[in-house]
């Protein structure tokens, strides 16, 4: 299933859907073992989502149907054993808050990726409301320490910040810095938005149409 590190392999394939991949090359890009990359490719080949060419060491594969592969990723990507904390930080502008938080986490040496509406707003202009800034942070950092580094405070309600951690930092794969903010890659962001009860499905569909394109 395309979850955890296997999901990262799927995102690597979606990032370059026209590329012909050797197993070792795909494993290196996705930062997984060649065995896992091979299992993912074999499964996708069985589902007719991968085209194969050549044989033996020259055998290469590429995406046959990017639309169907993204659908499968969105269906199967699940984050298990997620840790999270809710916090509140003073902010005059929710859009500016994401940049401020990203800069503070960077200064604290905490790898992270903003996701949800705050990230979508940087990729496309259709997001108008950002009630909460959602951020994936590396699992190597204590959550309470991360909240402290933001100058925020942990709360049980009335939060405007959510910090989350997942095993092996899979949500941080292929992050990029946009407008001064470390942001989740578009495919990860699409999956996260779909799970967001705050108009997430609508925003995910717009992101897919206007940014991803398939």
């Amino acid at each position: 299933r395309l979850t955890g590190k296997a999901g990262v392999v799927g995102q690597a394939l979606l990032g370059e859907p026209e590329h012909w991949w050797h197993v070792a090359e795909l494993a290196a890009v996705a930062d997984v073992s060649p065995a896992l990359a091979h299992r993912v490719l074999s499964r996708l080949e069985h589902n007719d989502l991968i085209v194969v060419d050549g044989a033996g060491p020259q055998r290469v594969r590429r995406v046959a149907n990017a639309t169907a592969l993204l659908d499968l990723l969105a269906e199967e990507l699940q984050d298990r054993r997620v840790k999270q904390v809710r916090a509140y930080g003073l902010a005059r502008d929710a859009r500016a808050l994401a940049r401020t938080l990203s800069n503070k986490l960077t200064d604290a040496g905490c790898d992270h990726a903003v996701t949800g509406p705050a990230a979508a707003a940087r990729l496309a202009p259709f997001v108008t409301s950002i009630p909460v800034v959602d951020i994936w942070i590396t699992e190597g950092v204590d959550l309470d320490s991360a909240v402290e580094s933001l100058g925020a405070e942990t709360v049980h309600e009335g939060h405007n910040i959510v910090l989350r951690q997942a095993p092996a930092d899979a949500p941080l794969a292929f992050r990029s810095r946009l407008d001064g903010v470390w942001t989740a890659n578009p495919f990860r962001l699409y999956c996260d938005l779909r799970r967001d009860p705050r108009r997430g499905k609508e925003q995910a569909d717009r992101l897919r149409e206007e940014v991803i394109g398939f």
Side-chain angles (χ1 to χ4, degrees), residues 78-84 136 139 164-168:
Q78 299 290 331
D79 297 298
R80 300 182 177 92
R81 303 189 306 279
V82 172
K83 299 177 182 179
Q84 76 171 37
W136 290 105
E139 64 174 343
R164 294 188 176 94
Q165 294 171 315

Side-chain angles (χ1 to χ4, degrees), residues 24-188:
E25 179 192 12
L26 179 60
V29 169
D31 192 24
V32 301
S33 69
L36 177 57
H38 186 268
R39 288 198 301 272
V40 172
L41 287 169
S42 296
R43 183 270 173 107
L44 296 178
E45 181 183 346
H46 180 74
N47 289 2
D48 296 323
L49 296 177
I50 289 291
V51 176
V52 181
D53 187 56
Q58 304 305 316
R59 190 178 179 90
V60 289
R61 301 164 175 86
R62 70 166 175 82
V63 175
N65 188 332
T67 298
L69 179 55
L70 181 55
D71 288 342
L72 184 65
L73 178 69
E75 177 185 338
E76 295 189 348
L77 185 64
Q78 299 290 331
D79 297 298
R80 300 182 177 92
R81 303 189 306 279
V82 172
K83 299 177 182 179
Q84 76 171 37
V85 63
R86 296 175 177 177
Y88 177 80
L90 291 175
R92 289 188 236 173
D93 184 310
R95 292 173 186 266
L97 178 61
R99 183 185 296 108
T100 298
L101 297 178
S102 185
N103 287 338
K104 287 183 176 181
L105 288 170
T106 299
D107 291 343
C110 177
D111 288 341
H112 63 282
V114 176
T115 189
R122 289 185 143 68
L123 288 171
F126 56 80
V127 176
T128 57
S129 175
I130 308 174
V132 176
V133 178
D134 296 290
I135 309 176
W136 290 105
I137 68 170
T138 178
E139 64 174 343
V141 172
D142 177 72
L143 282 170
D144 291 332
S145 298
V147 172
E148 185 177 347
S149 72
L150 295 176
E153 61 176 316
T154 301
V155 297
H156 297 292
E157 57 183 26
H159 63 287
N160 62 350
I161 303 166
V162 175
L163 300 182
R164 294 188 176 94
Q165 294 171 315
D169 288 345
L172 304 188
F174 312 120
R175 64 182 184 143
S176 61
R177 199 165 193 181
L178 301 174
D179 190 26
V181 176
W182 281 107
T183 305
N185 78 71
F187 311 112
R188 176 77 215 197

